[in-house]
Amino acid sequence: MIKPITAIVLSALFSTVSGLATAQDLASFHAGMGGCTACHGTNAVTAANVPDDEIDLNNKCMACHGDYKKLADKTKHFDPHASHLSDRSPINCTACHTAHAKPKLVCNDCHTFDLKMPFSDAPESAKWDATIDDEAVAAAEKSAPRETVDVLVIGAGSAGLNAAIAAKRAGAKVVLLEKHSFAGGNSMLAAGGYNAVGTPQQAKKGIKDTVDQYVKDTMKGGRGKNDPKLVQILAEGSADGVKWLEDMGADLSDVKRSGGAAVDRTHRPHGGMSVGPHIVDVLRAQATKEGVGARVNSRAVKLLLDKDYKIAGAIVHGKHSGYYKIAAKAVVLATGGYGQNKQMIAFYRPTFKDMTSSNNVTSTGDGITMALNIGASMTDIDWVQAHPTVGLDSRILISETVRGVGAVMVNINGERFVNELTTRDRASDAILHQPQKRAWLVFDSNLYKSAKMVQGYDHLGMLKKADTLAELAKICDMDAKTLEKTASDYNKFRKAGKDEAFGRPDMPLGIEKAPFYAVAVAPGIHHTMGGVAITPESEVLDIQSRPIPGLYAAGEVTGGVHGFNRLGGNAIADTVVFGRRSGEHAAAYALKAK
Ligand code: MEZ
């Protein structure tokens, strides 16, 4: 149990800390430049007076220091200001720089950059959201709501951002909550793309695709266990979802193939850029523009029902403002999956319990827990997807795109062992049956030049590089002759237009042009297919399969769309199509209930 921090008076903290000769924190440093008011303004400075979204503080930082563009030092190999912070929708400075405690390089949630931040000798503070204070929750539940809205959206990844924008456009009063210090969730890490059928991009490339084929591929990938009605909606709404994003300024001009797809239908930005950071950036900026920007540092901890078992709102834990109630006629759960919750993985999928995860730290299954606590029904909750190519001993996903645009996969001896474009479950399984349960992706300089994300892996030091295949084999401890034969066989298959060894359906590039590259990979947890059961209108079902009035859900928190195995490119499609849909239905319900 942690104590709410609302009672802490920051000015007292300032004077105490600044009085210590050894204090090495940001606040003490600023104390000599005008005291608490320099950052907090002239209001009584209490923790409760700091808005949870910390935007005011962020603006104060920028007023003196300039924006990220100004701060970015492009001459450095790694400068977080340059690499991850957009000028379209900047992340708060306070996501990393903490005034009264040790700063935190949030990129190290996934990476391992050895950067020393200013004031890193400051004392470490307890994580504000490490536990849930049951007494504070009960007190908040008894008290009057601090706010009343039509639609409360929980979780600001792509599904939540789309839901919030759609609900707002439908005329609802909306609040969007995000527990992390910045919006984006797991969507922010999506690399490959967005599957859509019937887009102008496909037409321009002469790609023949149909809604039926999309449905067929998705059902086959999911081993026929998907809810066909949900898959139909996904396919039918996919092209309009692309347009919806493009109208906000997104670039989805490039189309490529993903595993399990009969044709090229994975849309993404030009030049092989990752899709997730781009669309999150666009959505974040759009949501802010439309007045539904995410309230960050705000974790929903309990869903509330009224006496008729209808949704009545939620209890929220704010980083500064403590526990409070928001009354809402409708709630959209967009909290993502549970790929980062070790206990849930160990419970639902024990064989994956020691596996690395490509997921964001935010994927802790909060929405599933909250929904279970009010009697929601779950679909396929134990189906967890291992992505075959997570960088060995890392959390960095080596996107399916790399295979899609031409890389081959070999075992530690240098032999191919699978159709690289098969579905993820089969590819992961194949790797787990190889010596040391790992593999190498091998490609040439043509691929390196064409895919920006591959240059990103190089930037992160993940690639091995050599001028000949024999040399590459030596660096990677593979058998040189075997690797050379693998490449030569593959190049022959490609020229003949038929993969005699494994039936790979598409071989866009050969392994021909030096320098050659390899990256070590192994399967890692990537997507939790199961979650709350929903209707085609995105309503959450109870254990007797009746909709819980006012509760909607979209994205990875739901089950049913992907069956037992999700196809690459279908997650972003899911978050956009069902994100919008959940927001629209929630708004219609809430406005009718007024
Ligand atoms: O949809 C995905 O998860 C995807 C395409 C991932 C990837 O390999 O890039």
Side-chain angles (χ1 to χ4, degrees):
M1 299 255 277
I2 54 165
K3 287 262 166 281
I5 56 167
T6 47
I8 296 172
V9 178
L10 288 180
S11 53
L13 198 66
F14 261 121
S15 54
T16 312
V17 175
S18 56
L20 295 172
T22 53
Q24 284 297 321
D25 61 278
L26 190 61
S28 306
F29 180 76
H30 283 86
M33 303 174 184
C36 311
T37 54
C39 296
H40 291 284
T42 50
N43 283 340
V45 182
T46 64
N49 278 353
V50 180
D52 291 323
D53 65 15
E54 296 179 346
I55 286 170
D56 286 351
L57 293 173
N58 189 58
N59 288 340
K60 296 242 170 51
C61 307
M62 292 214 177
C64 292
H65 295 277
D67 62 11
Y68 296 122
K69 232 189 199 155
K70 177 159 175 247
L71 290 172
D73 183 349
K74 298 228 166 77
T75 62
K76 283 189 190 160
H77 186 50
F78 293 114
D79 182 347
H81 301 118
S83 60
H84 273 305
L85 300 166
S86 140
D87 53 18
R88 184 177 351 216
S89 62
I91 289 169
N92 279 349
C93 309
T94 50
C96 294
H97 301 281
T98 315
H100 301 279
K102 196 178 171 65
K104 180 179 190 309
L105 208 55
V106 285
C107 13
N108 276 349
D109 283 343
C110 298
H111 300 279
T112 42
F113 297 129
D114 191 16
L115 297 181
K116 188 161 158 70
M117 290 180 75
F119 308 107
S120 57
D121 295 332
E124 204 144 350
S125 68
K127 243 176 132 281
W128 68 272
D129 58 348
T131 53
I132 296 174
D133 180 342
D134 295 331
E135 279 171 32
V137 172
E141 209 170 332
K142 282 199 202 106
S143 65
R146 198 178 282 178
E147 280 164 283
T148 299
V149 298
D150 298 316
V151 178
L152 178 65
V153 181
I154 305 176
S158 169
L161 287 160
N162 278 293
I165 293 169
K168 181 80 196 308
R169 288 186 184 178
K173 180 176 176 197
V174 183
V175 162
L176 169 62
L177 300 176
E178 169 55 51
K179 68 176 176 181
H180 202 28
S181 53
F182 49 90
N186 217 19
S187 314
M188 206 166 155
L189 304 183
Y194 172 151
N195 287 348
V197 50
T199 59
Q201 289 87 322
Q202 277 189 320
K204 196 166 153 203
K205 285 186 80 180
I207 298 163
K208 301 234 172 316
D209 196 8
T210 60
V211 165
D212 282 354
Q213 188 62 50
Y214 187 142
V215 170
K216 205 165 141 197
D217 291 348
T218 301
M219 295 293 298
K220 185 171 171 212
R223 302 197 202 156
K225 298 295 180 188
N226 331 44
D227 179 335
K229 285 200 232 68
L230 299 180
V231 179
Q232 189 73 26
I233 290 167
L234 179 75
E236 281 175 0
S238 59
D240 196 49
V242 168
K243 179 160 183 328
W244 152 275
L245 292 176
E246 285 174 338
D247 286 348
M248 297 177 194
D251 167 14
L252 292 166
S253 52
D254 197 11
V255 195
K256 282 284 175 296
R257 181 91 51 109
S258 287
V263 298
D264 294 5
R265 68 166 75 96
T266 305
H267 295 63
R268 57 198 192 152
H270 74 280
M273 248 163 60
S274 292
V275 75
H278 173 63
I279 68 157
V280 162
D281 191 27
V282 166
L283 285 164
R284 226 169 20 206
Q286 189 69 27
T288 304
K289 193 162 133 198
E290 299 197 22
V292 282
R295 184 181 300 171
V296 296
N297 299 312
S298 300
R299 178 185 180 197
V301 292
K302 184 173 182 180
L303 296 173
L304 302 176
L305 296 170
D306 68 12
K307 61 180 178 13
D308 299 321
Y309 198 64
K310 286 186 184 142
I311 276 292
I315 302 298
V316 182
H317 180 194
K319 179 178 177 185
H320 303 285
S321 60
Y323 290 83
Y324 63 97
K325 184 195 292 185
I326 298 188
K329 297 200 176 63
V331 168
V332 178
L333 283 178
T335 43
Y338 64 89
Q340 275 292 353
N341 185 324
K342 291 218 170 298
Q343 278 150 331
M344 286 174 86
I345 292 286
F347 182 76
Y348 288 122
R349 196 61 186 250
T351 49
F352 286 3
K353 77 178 183 350
D354 297 321
M355 224 179 231
T356 185
S357 170
S358 66
N359 285 184
N360 199 335
V361 288
T362 51
S363 295
T364 49
D366 298 15
I368 290 167
T369 307
M370 285 190 288
L372 276 171
N373 287 344
I374 61 161
S377 165
M378 299 291 142
T379 296
D380 304 333
I381 186 70
D382 51 337
W383 282 90
V384 177
Q385 176 173 82
H387 191 294
T389 60
V390 177
L392 188 72
D393 298 328
S394 87
R395 293 199 32 227
I396 314 294
L397 183 78
I398 306 299
S399 174
E400 194 162 310
T401 304
V402 182
R403 281 170 286 143
V405 296
V408 299
M409 186 150 68
V410 299
N411 62 18
I412 56 164
N413 303 320
E415 299 153 325
R416 280 180 77 214
F417 54 91
V418 72
N419 157 18
E420 289 84 352
L421 299 186
T422 186
T423 52
R424 289 174 183 175
D425 51 346
R426 293 186 206 288
S428 292
D429 221 42
I431 296 174
L432 293 173
H433 282 88
Q434 296 306 305
Q436 296 181 18
K437 302 182 188 237
R438 64 188 184 92
W440 291 96
L441 288 178
V442 177
F443 49 90
D444 72 0
S445 67
N446 285 329
L447 189 148
Y448 182 92
K449 277 192 219 124
S450 69
K452 248 215 175 85
M453 65 172 67
V454 173
Q455 293 157 31
Y457 304 137
D458 199 11
H459 186 68
L460 294 173
M462 299 176 82
L463 303 188
K464 306 282 185 206
K465 176 179 174 184
D467 284 332
T468 64
L469 281 169
E471 220 182 296
L472 186 71
K474 194 165 161 215
I475 297 172
C476 302
D477 209 13
M478 286 185 241
D479 182 68
K481 291 256 166 314
T482 311
L483 184 64
E484 281 172 339
K485 178 164 176 1
T486 298
S488 133
D489 287 351
Y490 182 80
N491 291 340
K492 274 189 217 137
F493 297 151
R494 180 170 169 267
K495 286 211 173 85
K498 185 160 186 225
D499 175 11
E500 300 280 358
F502 298 101
R504 175 176 173 147
D506 189 39
M507 295 174 275
L509 291 171
I511 313 292
E512 289 166 338
K513 189 159 180 339
F516 300 98
Y517 298 85
V519 52
V521 294
I525 293 164
H526 185 58
H527 192 96
T528 48
M529 270 77 62
V532 298
I534 55 166
T535 67
E537 288 72 38
S538 296
E539 302 156 295
V540 175
L541 297 172
D542 69 12
I543 39 180
Q544 281 154 340
S545 297
R546 298 168 307 195
I548 299 174
L551 186 58
Y552 298 79
E556 199 174 342
V557 69
T558 67
V561 178
H562 307 291
F564 286 179
N565 176 62
R566 176 176 69 74
L567 290 190
N570 271 356
I572 291 294
D574 178 8
T575 60
V576 177
V577 172
F578 284 95
R580 283 175 73 181
R581 204 169 165 83
S582 62
E584 281 158 10
H585 284 285
Y589 170 89
L591 296 173
K592 207 161 94 193
K594 255 186 168 175

